[in-house]
Amino acid sequence: MTPKKTTPIKIIKVKNWSNNLVYLRTSRPECFIFNAGQFARIAAKTLNGIKNENLVWRAQSLTSSPNDKFLEFLILLGKSGEFSKNVNELRSRDILFLDNKNYGFLTLDRFRDVQDLWLFATGSGIAPYLSIIKNFPGLKNISRVNLIHSLRDSQNLNRYTEFLNKEIIFKSVEIKRKLTYLPILTQEITPLNGLVNGESIKYKSTKKRFTLMLSNGELEKLANCNLLPKKSKVMICGNPNMIRDTRNILKNMGFIANRRDNDGEIAVENYW
């Protein structure tokens, strides 16, 4: 569907971490306002000309903070499709098109009285959490931010670690002190590096899914933090199977979904 109002934005920086993961930094129109955790709709190129109705639009989570003067995206490309092909060919100074409207509800204002914030992601589902973590004023009343990131193997992990280290972990001492980051690899047994409250830790991947580690208490032990409905709020973003399984485990622990008519502890964003 073609947006009613769009704005051209210029690419400032582009990096292809692999054949299917692309980092983009673009200019930001003054008219574009968003909350940390939301996503935008962008178009990479026209199919048959320069008219809006010919643009290929896709929703992409923003990794930049609402306070940044630029926009950032981590885009996972498909094996086929015009949008993925166009994004893979982008270079600095190329032009994208931005839908002027923001989208999504994976935002902190859904919750009240957050002590510990748990962020569960698979793959590129980490993107909205990067925006939330970089928006440090929004975290000032939160004691712990626990980011749990499920990936297939260390090759996939390395793509995200570079971005995390440069843009978040080594950029702000205040953010690092609150942050726990635990990558979980499901297809490889290997030593891993993580953070617990800003302190580096070493542990070993055992090919367990974090849903198993969540249900047996192993994840709480590794994070050195109890996951309790009375003090914890949870966001889940990624593939539908992970979301379904994680939500069911949390419900068995006493958590309920956050909706307009209640103050539940679980917020969800499906990635497809």
Side-chain angles (χ1 to χ4, degrees), residues 86-121:
N86 292 341
V87 169
N88 205 34
E89 295 174 352
L90 290 172
R91 299 293 181 265
S92 294
R93 300 184 181 180
D94 283 348
I95 298 296
L96 296 173
F97 290 87
L98 174 73
D99 181 346
N100 290 352
K101 179 178 171 57
N102 59 44
Y103 296 89
F105 301 97
L106 198 68
T107 55
L108 284 178
D109 57 10
R110 293 184 61 170
F111 298 130
R112 293 192 300 176
D113 303 323
V114 184
Q115 294 183 43
D116 299 330
L117 180 65
W118 289 76
L119 307 172
F120 292 99

mmCIF file of all heavy atoms in Angstrom, residues 86-121:
data_model
loop_
_atom_site.group_PDB
_atom_site.id
_atom_site.type_symbol
_atom_site.label_atom_id
_atom_site.label_comp_id
_atom_site.label_asym_id
_atom_site.label_seq_id
_atom_site.Cartn_x
_atom_site.Cartn_y
_atom_site.Cartn_z
ATOM 1 N N ASN A 86 17.217 -4.546 -4.249
ATOM 2 C CA ASN A 86 17.519 -3.115 -4.308
ATOM 3 C C ASN A 86 18.367 -2.662 -3.127
ATOM 4 O O ASN A 86 19.307 -1.889 -3.283
ATOM 5 C CB ASN A 86 16.218 -2.312 -4.356
ATOM 6 C CG ASN A 86 15.455 -2.519 -5.656
ATOM 7 O OD1 ASN A 86 16.010 -2.962 -6.652
ATOM 8 N ND2 ASN A 86 14.173 -2.206 -5.637
ATOM 9 N N VAL A 87 18.027 -3.141 -1.922
ATOM 10 C CA VAL A 87 18.782 -2.757 -0.729
ATOM 11 C C VAL A 87 20.225 -3.246 -0.826
ATOM 12 O O VAL A 87 21.160 -2.546 -0.446
ATOM 13 C CB VAL A 87 18.100 -3.307 0.546
ATOM 14 C CG1 VAL A 87 19.011 -3.147 1.760
ATOM 15 C CG2 VAL A 87 16.783 -2.597 0.796
ATOM 16 N N ASN A 88 20.421 -4.429 -1.335
ATOM 17 C CA ASN A 88 21.755 -4.999 -1.437
ATOM 18 C C ASN A 88 22.653 -4.207 -2.392
ATOM 19 O O ASN A 88 23.882 -4.304 -2.326
ATOM 20 C CB ASN A 88 21.660 -6.453 -1.902
ATOM 21 C CG ASN A 88 22.851 -7.276 -1.460
ATOM 22 O OD1 ASN A 88 23.415 -7.059 -0.394
ATOM 23 N ND2 ASN A 88 23.245 -8.217 -2.288
ATOM 24 N N GLU A 89 22.041 -3.423 -3.260
ATOM 25 C CA GLU A 89 22.803 -2.631 -4.233
ATOM 26 C C GLU A 89 23.010 -1.182 -3.803
ATOM 27 O O GLU A 89 23.665 -0.412 -4.506
ATOM 28 C CB GLU A 89 22.079 -2.660 -5.586
ATOM 29 C CG GLU A 89 22.026 -4.050 -6.214
ATOM 30 C CD GLU A 89 21.175 -4.086 -7.481
ATOM 31 O OE1 GLU A 89 20.507 -3.053 -7.775
ATOM 32 O OE2 GLU A 89 21.178 -5.117 -8.166
ATOM 33 N N LEU A 90 22.475 -0.808 -2.641
ATOM 34 C CA LEU A 90 22.558 0.586 -2.202
ATOM 35 C C LEU A 90 23.980 0.992 -1.837
ATOM 36 O O LEU A 90 24.763 0.193 -1.314
ATOM 37 C CB LEU A 90 21.645 0.810 -1.000
ATOM 38 C CG LEU A 90 20.134 0.776 -1.274
ATOM 39 C CD1 LEU A 90 19.365 0.825 0.032
ATOM 40 C CD2 LEU A 90 19.724 1.935 -2.178
ATOM 41 N N ARG A 91 24.287 2.257 -2.087
ATOM 42 C CA ARG A 91 25.578 2.826 -1.734
ATOM 43 C C ARG A 91 25.355 4.178 -1.067
ATOM 44 O O ARG A 91 24.261 4.743 -1.123
ATOM 45 C CB ARG A 91 26.449 3.009 -2.994
ATOM 46 C CG ARG A 91 26.755 1.704 -3.729
ATOM 47 C CD ARG A 91 27.648 0.803 -2.903
ATOM 48 N NE ARG A 91 27.965 -0.436 -3.598
ATOM 49 C CZ ARG A 91 27.294 -1.584 -3.452
ATOM 50 N NH1 ARG A 91 26.239 -1.624 -2.638
ATOM 51 N NH2 ARG A 91 27.661 -2.673 -4.100
ATOM 52 N N SER A 92 26.395 4.707 -0.432
ATOM 53 C CA SER A 92 26.297 6.039 0.182
ATOM 54 C C SER A 92 25.856 7.067 -0.853
ATOM 55 O O SER A 92 26.258 6.996 -2.028
ATOM 56 C CB SER A 92 27.647 6.452 0.766
ATOM 57 O OG SER A 92 27.996 5.616 1.839
ATOM 58 N N ARG A 93 25.017 8.002 -0.407
ATOM 59 C CA ARG A 93 24.442 9.087 -1.191
ATOM 60 C C ARG A 93 23.251 8.648 -2.056
ATOM 61 O O ARG A 93 22.621 9.494 -2.692
ATOM 62 C CB ARG A 93 25.489 9.788 -2.061
ATOM 63 C CG ARG A 93 26.622 10.408 -1.260
ATOM 64 C CD ARG A 93 27.585 11.166 -2.159
ATOM 65 N NE ARG A 93 28.680 11.745 -1.389
ATOM 66 C CZ ARG A 93 29.671 12.455 -1.917
ATOM 67 N NH1 ARG A 93 29.699 12.688 -3.227
ATOM 68 N NH2 ARG A 93 30.629 12.939 -1.158
ATOM 69 N N ASP A 94 22.957 7.348 -2.078
ATOM 70 C CA ASP A 94 21.733 6.922 -2.744
ATOM 71 C C ASP A 94 20.525 7.411 -1.953
ATOM 72 O O ASP A 94 20.634 7.784 -0.775
ATOM 73 C CB ASP A 94 21.682 5.396 -2.864
ATOM 74 C CG ASP A 94 22.582 4.871 -3.973
ATOM 75 O OD1 ASP A 94 23.050 5.690 -4.779
ATOM 76 O OD2 ASP A 94 22.805 3.650 -4.027
ATOM 77 N N ILE A 95 19.377 7.372 -2.578
ATOM 78 C CA ILE A 95 18.151 7.888 -1.979
ATOM 79 C C ILE A 95 17.183 6.748 -1.670
ATOM 80 O O ILE A 95 16.963 5.853 -2.485
ATOM 81 C CB ILE A 95 17.456 8.905 -2.914
ATOM 82 C CG1 ILE A 95 18.359 10.114 -3.151
ATOM 83 C CG2 ILE A 95 16.110 9.345 -2.345
ATOM 84 C CD1 ILE A 95 18.648 10.930 -1.897
ATOM 85 N N LEU A 96 16.637 6.789 -0.457
ATOM 86 C CA LEU A 96 15.508 5.948 -0.071
ATOM 87 C C LEU A 96 14.276 6.830 0.034
ATOM 88 O O LEU A 96 14.371 8.067 0.047
ATOM 89 C CB LEU A 96 15.751 5.283 1.287
ATOM 90 C CG LEU A 96 16.890 4.292 1.427
ATOM 91 C CD1 LEU A 96 17.038 3.893 2.883
ATOM 92 C CD2 LEU A 96 16.633 3.069 0.569
ATOM 93 N N PHE A 97 13.127 6.191 0.165
ATOM 94 C CA PHE A 97 11.903 6.928 0.445
ATOM 95 C C PHE A 97 11.346 6.463 1.774
ATOM 96 O O PHE A 97 11.340 5.265 2.073
ATOM 97 C CB PHE A 97 10.887 6.731 -0.677
ATOM 98 C CG PHE A 97 11.286 7.403 -1.956
ATOM 99 C CD1 PHE A 97 12.100 6.750 -2.868
ATOM 100 C CD2 PHE A 97 10.881 8.700 -2.231
ATOM 101 C CE1 PHE A 97 12.496 7.364 -4.044
ATOM 102 C CE2 PHE A 97 11.273 9.328 -3.398
ATOM 103 C CZ PHE A 97 12.081 8.658 -4.311
ATOM 104 N N LEU A 98 10.881 7.410 2.585
ATOM 105 C CA LEU A 98 10.401 7.142 3.939
ATOM 106 C C LEU A 98 8.930 7.497 4.055
ATOM 107 O O LEU A 98 8.513 8.606 3.689
ATOM 108 C CB LEU A 98 11.204 7.972 4.948
ATOM 109 C CG LEU A 98 10.757 7.937 6.412
ATOM 110 C CD1 LEU A 98 11.119 6.588 7.042
ATOM 111 C CD2 LEU A 98 11.406 9.083 7.195
ATOM 112 N N ASP A 99 8.141 6.564 4.552
ATOM 113 C CA ASP A 99 6.758 6.853 4.925
ATOM 114 C C ASP A 99 6.816 7.763 6.153
ATOM 115 O O ASP A 99 7.470 7.438 7.147
ATOM 116 C CB ASP A 99 6.058 5.535 5.243
ATOM 117 C CG ASP A 99 4.589 5.706 5.622
ATOM 118 O OD1 ASP A 99 4.158 6.841 5.892
ATOM 119 O OD2 ASP A 99 3.871 4.688 5.661
ATOM 120 N N ASN A 100 6.130 8.883 6.116
ATOM 121 C CA ASN A 100 6.214 9.851 7.216
ATOM 122 C C ASN A 100 5.527 9.393 8.500
ATOM 123 O O ASN A 100 5.675 10.034 9.543
ATOM 124 C CB ASN A 100 5.612 11.183 6.785
ATOM 125 C CG ASN A 100 6.472 11.886 5.743
ATOM 126 O OD1 ASN A 100 7.589 11.462 5.446
ATOM 127 N ND2 ASN A 100 5.955 12.959 5.168
ATOM 128 N N LYS A 101 4.778 8.312 8.442
ATOM 129 C CA LYS A 101 4.067 7.812 9.617
ATOM 130 C C LYS A 101 4.906 6.761 10.334
ATOM 131 O O LYS A 101 5.581 5.947 9.696
ATOM 132 C CB LYS A 101 2.731 7.189 9.174
ATOM 133 C CG LYS A 101 1.893 6.598 10.293
ATOM 134 C CD LYS A 101 0.581 6.063 9.754
ATOM 135 C CE LYS A 101 -0.188 5.268 10.801
ATOM 136 N NZ LYS A 101 -0.461 6.043 12.022
ATOM 137 N N ASN A 102 4.906 6.781 11.670
ATOM 138 C CA ASN A 102 5.585 5.729 12.440
ATOM 139 C C ASN A 102 4.604 4.598 12.736
ATOM 140 O O ASN A 102 3.389 4.775 12.689
ATOM 141 C CB ASN A 102 6.199 6.276 13.735
ATOM 142 C CG ASN A 102 5.163 6.916 14.652
ATOM 143 O OD1 ASN A 102 4.086 6.388 14.854
ATOM 144 N ND2 ASN A 102 5.496 8.067 15.207
ATOM 145 N N TYR A 103 5.151 3.423 13.064
ATOM 146 C CA TYR A 103 4.321 2.247 13.291
ATOM 147 C C TYR A 103 4.862 1.435 14.465
ATOM 148 O O TYR A 103 6.031 1.511 14.804
ATOM 149 C CB TYR A 103 4.317 1.336 12.050
ATOM 150 C CG TYR A 103 3.710 1.962 10.820
ATOM 151 C CD1 TYR A 103 4.508 2.708 9.941
ATOM 152 C CD2 TYR A 103 2.367 1.809 10.520
ATOM 153 C CE1 TYR A 103 3.969 3.273 8.798
ATOM 154 C CE2 TYR A 103 1.815 2.374 9.376
ATOM 155 C CZ TYR A 103 2.616 3.109 8.521
ATOM 156 O OH TYR A 103 2.083 3.672 7.389
ATOM 157 N N GLY A 104 3.985 0.606 15.055
ATOM 158 C CA GLY A 104 4.423 -0.360 16.055
ATOM 159 C C GLY A 104 4.134 0.056 17.487
ATOM 160 O O GLY A 104 4.036 1.243 17.804
ATOM 161 N N PHE A 105 4.034 -0.966 18.359
ATOM 162 C CA PHE A 105 3.672 -0.738 19.762
ATOM 163 C C PHE A 105 4.634 -1.424 20.728
ATOM 164 O O PHE A 105 4.309 -1.594 21.890
ATOM 165 C CB PHE A 105 2.240 -1.233 20.015
ATOM 166 C CG PHE A 105 1.217 -0.563 19.144
ATOM 167 C CD1 PHE A 105 0.773 -1.167 17.985
ATOM 168 C CD2 PHE A 105 0.726 0.688 19.476
ATOM 169 C CE1 PHE A 105 -0.167 -0.544 17.173
ATOM 170 C CE2 PHE A 105 -0.212 1.324 18.674
ATOM 171 C CZ PHE A 105 -0.659 0.705 17.518
ATOM 172 N N LEU A 106 5.815 -1.814 20.242
ATOM 173 C CA LEU A 106 6.799 -2.435 21.121
ATOM 174 C C LEU A 106 7.605 -1.330 21.803
ATOM 175 O O LEU A 106 8.802 -1.146 21.563
ATOM 176 C CB LEU A 106 7.704 -3.371 20.322
ATOM 177 C CG LEU A 106 8.500 -4.402 21.140
ATOM 178 C CD1 LEU A 106 7.557 -5.423 21.761
ATOM 179 C CD2 LEU A 106 9.529 -5.109 20.270
ATOM 180 N N THR A 107 6.938 -0.589 22.663
ATOM 181 C CA THR A 107 7.523 0.596 23.287
ATOM 182 C C THR A 107 7.356 0.540 24.803
ATOM 183 O O THR A 107 6.429 -0.098 25.321
ATOM 184 C CB THR A 107 6.845 1.873 22.751
ATOM 185 O OG1 THR A 107 5.428 1.772 22.934
ATOM 186 C CG2 THR A 107 7.130 2.050 21.264
ATOM 187 N N LEU A 108 8.246 1.224 25.515
ATOM 188 C CA LEU A 108 8.235 1.150 26.973
ATOM 189 C C LEU A 108 6.999 1.775 27.597
ATOM 190 O O LEU A 108 6.637 1.433 28.733
ATOM 191 C CB LEU A 108 9.486 1.838 27.532
ATOM 192 C CG LEU A 108 10.798 1.059 27.415
ATOM 193 C CD1 LEU A 108 11.940 1.883 27.970
ATOM 194 C CD2 LEU A 108 10.710 -0.278 28.136
ATOM 195 N N ASP A 109 6.332 2.683 26.889
ATOM 196 C CA ASP A 109 5.159 3.318 27.480
ATOM 197 C C ASP A 109 3.971 2.356 27.627
ATOM 198 O O ASP A 109 2.944 2.728 28.188
ATOM 199 C CB ASP A 109 4.745 4.571 26.699
ATOM 200 C CG ASP A 109 4.458 4.293 25.238
ATOM 201 O OD1 ASP A 109 4.385 3.114 24.844
ATOM 202 O OD2 ASP A 109 4.306 5.276 24.481
ATOM 203 N N ARG A 110 4.120 1.133 27.162
ATOM 204 C CA ARG A 110 3.088 0.123 27.395
ATOM 205 C C ARG A 110 3.099 -0.379 28.833
ATOM 206 O O ARG A 110 2.123 -0.974 29.303
ATOM 207 C CB ARG A 110 3.284 -1.064 26.450
ATOM 208 C CG ARG A 110 3.046 -0.730 25.001
ATOM 209 C CD ARG A 110 3.165 -1.940 24.115
ATOM 210 N NE ARG A 110 2.210 -2.981 24.443
ATOM 211 C CZ ARG A 110 1.989 -4.056 23.683
ATOM 212 N NH1 ARG A 110 2.659 -4.206 22.563
ATOM 213 N NH2 ARG A 110 1.107 -4.964 24.047
ATOM 214 N N PHE A 111 4.217 -0.159 29.540
ATOM 215 C CA PHE A 111 4.387 -0.719 30.874
ATOM 216 C C PHE A 111 4.408 0.371 31.939
ATOM 217 O O PHE A 111 4.816 1.504 31.680
ATOM 218 C CB PHE A 111 5.712 -1.492 30.965
ATOM 219 C CG PHE A 111 5.812 -2.672 30.050
ATOM 220 C CD1 PHE A 111 6.927 -2.830 29.239
ATOM 221 C CD2 PHE A 111 4.822 -3.632 30.003
ATOM 222 C CE1 PHE A 111 7.047 -3.925 28.402
ATOM 223 C CE2 PHE A 111 4.930 -4.732 29.166
ATOM 224 C CZ PHE A 111 6.042 -4.876 28.370
ATOM 225 N N ARG A 112 4.017 -0.039 33.140
ATOM 226 C CA ARG A 112 4.171 0.819 34.319
ATOM 227 C C ARG A 112 5.054 0.101 35.335
ATOM 228 O O ARG A 112 5.050 -1.112 35.430
ATOM 229 C CB ARG A 112 2.810 1.130 34.947
ATOM 230 C CG ARG A 112 1.908 1.989 34.088
ATOM 231 C CD ARG A 112 0.705 2.492 34.867
ATOM 232 N NE ARG A 112 -0.114 1.406 35.388
ATOM 233 C CZ ARG A 112 -1.182 1.592 36.160
ATOM 234 N NH1 ARG A 112 -1.526 2.816 36.514
ATOM 235 N NH2 ARG A 112 -1.886 0.562 36.584
ATOM 236 N N ASP A 113 5.798 0.868 36.083
ATOM 237 C CA ASP A 113 6.582 0.334 37.208
ATOM 238 C C ASP A 113 7.517 -0.802 36.779
ATOM 239 O O ASP A 113 7.446 -1.925 37.274
ATOM 240 C CB ASP A 113 5.651 -0.166 38.321
ATOM 241 C CG ASP A 113 4.711 0.919 38.817
ATOM 242 O OD1 ASP A 113 5.154 2.080 38.883
ATOM 243 O OD2 ASP A 113 3.545 0.613 39.113
ATOM 244 N N VAL A 114 8.419 -0.487 35.844
ATOM 245 C CA VAL A 114 9.386 -1.481 35.383
ATOM 246 C C VAL A 114 10.619 -1.442 36.274
ATOM 247 O O VAL A 114 11.270 -0.409 36.398
ATOM 248 C CB VAL A 114 9.810 -1.211 33.921
ATOM 249 C CG1 VAL A 114 10.738 -2.318 33.434
ATOM 250 C CG2 VAL A 114 8.593 -1.082 33.020
ATOM 251 N N GLN A 115 10.927 -2.580 36.892
ATOM 252 C CA GLN A 115 12.192 -2.686 37.623
ATOM 253 C C GLN A 115 13.244 -3.376 36.755
ATOM 254 O O GLN A 115 14.333 -2.857 36.560
ATOM 255 C CB GLN A 115 11.980 -3.467 38.923
ATOM 256 C CG GLN A 115 11.088 -2.751 39.929
ATOM 257 C CD GLN A 115 10.960 -3.536 41.220
ATOM 258 O OE1 GLN A 115 11.944 -4.072 41.746
ATOM 259 N NE2 GLN A 115 9.751 -3.619 41.744
ATOM 260 N N ASP A 116 12.884 -4.556 36.264
ATOM 261 C CA ASP A 116 13.772 -5.301 35.377
ATOM 262 C C ASP A 116 13.100 -5.452 34.015
ATOM 263 O O ASP A 116 11.944 -5.867 33.930
ATOM 264 C CB ASP A 116 14.078 -6.695 35.936
ATOM 265 C CG ASP A 116 14.768 -6.642 37.288
ATOM 266 O OD1 ASP A 116 15.489 -5.664 37.544
ATOM 267 O OD2 ASP A 116 14.574 -7.580 38.086
ATOM 268 N N LEU A 117 13.828 -5.117 32.970
ATOM 269 C CA LEU A 117 13.312 -5.237 31.609
ATOM 270 C C LEU A 117 14.028 -6.381 30.903
ATOM 271 O O LEU A 117 15.246 -6.366 30.761
ATOM 272 C CB LEU A 117 13.524 -3.930 30.844
ATOM 273 C CG LEU A 117 13.046 -3.890 29.387
ATOM 274 C CD1 LEU A 117 11.529 -4.032 29.317
ATOM 275 C CD2 LEU A 117 13.494 -2.598 28.717
ATOM 276 N N TRP A 118 13.257 -7.384 30.475
ATOM 277 C CA TRP A 118 13.803 -8.522 29.750
ATOM 278 C C TRP A 118 13.433 -8.384 28.282
ATOM 279 O O TRP A 118 12.256 -8.211 27.943
ATOM 280 C CB TRP A 118 13.254 -9.837 30.307
ATOM 281 C CG TRP A 118 13.777 -10.201 31.664
ATOM 282 C CD1 TRP A 118 13.393 -9.650 32.857
ATOM 283 C CD2 TRP A 118 14.764 -11.188 31.972
ATOM 284 N NE1 TRP A 118 14.079 -10.238 33.897
ATOM 285 C CE2 TRP A 118 14.925 -11.187 33.380
ATOM 286 C CE3 TRP A 118 15.510 -12.068 31.197
ATOM 287 C CZ2 TRP A 118 15.821 -12.039 34.030
ATOM 288 C CZ3 TRP A 118 16.407 -12.929 31.837
ATOM 289 C CH2 TRP A 118 16.555 -12.907 33.239
ATOM 290 N N LEU A 119 14.439 -8.501 27.410
ATOM 291 C CA LEU A 119 14.243 -8.344 25.971
ATOM 292 C C LEU A 119 14.688 -9.627 25.284
ATOM 293 O O LEU A 119 15.874 -9.950 25.251
ATOM 294 C CB LEU A 119 15.073 -7.158 25.460
ATOM 295 C CG LEU A 119 14.873 -5.832 26.196
ATOM 296 C CD1 LEU A 119 15.892 -4.791 25.715
ATOM 297 C CD2 LEU A 119 13.456 -5.310 26.021
ATOM 298 N N PHE A 120 13.730 -10.374 24.729
ATOM 299 C CA PHE A 120 14.021 -11.634 24.055
ATOM 300 C C PHE A 120 13.937 -11.443 22.551
ATOM 301 O O PHE A 120 12.944 -10.918 22.037
ATOM 302 C CB PHE A 120 13.025 -12.718 24.482
ATOM 303 C CG PHE A 120 13.159 -13.145 25.913
ATOM 304 C CD1 PHE A 120 12.320 -12.628 26.888
ATOM 305 C CD2 PHE A 120 14.117 -14.079 26.293
ATOM 306 C CE1 PHE A 120 12.427 -13.022 28.212
ATOM 307 C CE2 PHE A 120 14.231 -14.478 27.616
ATOM 308 C CZ PHE A 120 13.396 -13.958 28.585
ATOM 309 N N ALA A 121 14.964 -11.893 21.819
ATOM 310 C CA ALA A 121 14.987 -11.712 20.368
ATOM 311 C C ALA A 121 15.624 -12.906 19.682
ATOM 312 O O ALA A 121 16.508 -13.569 20.228
ATOM 313 C CB ALA A 121 15.760 -10.450 19.994
#
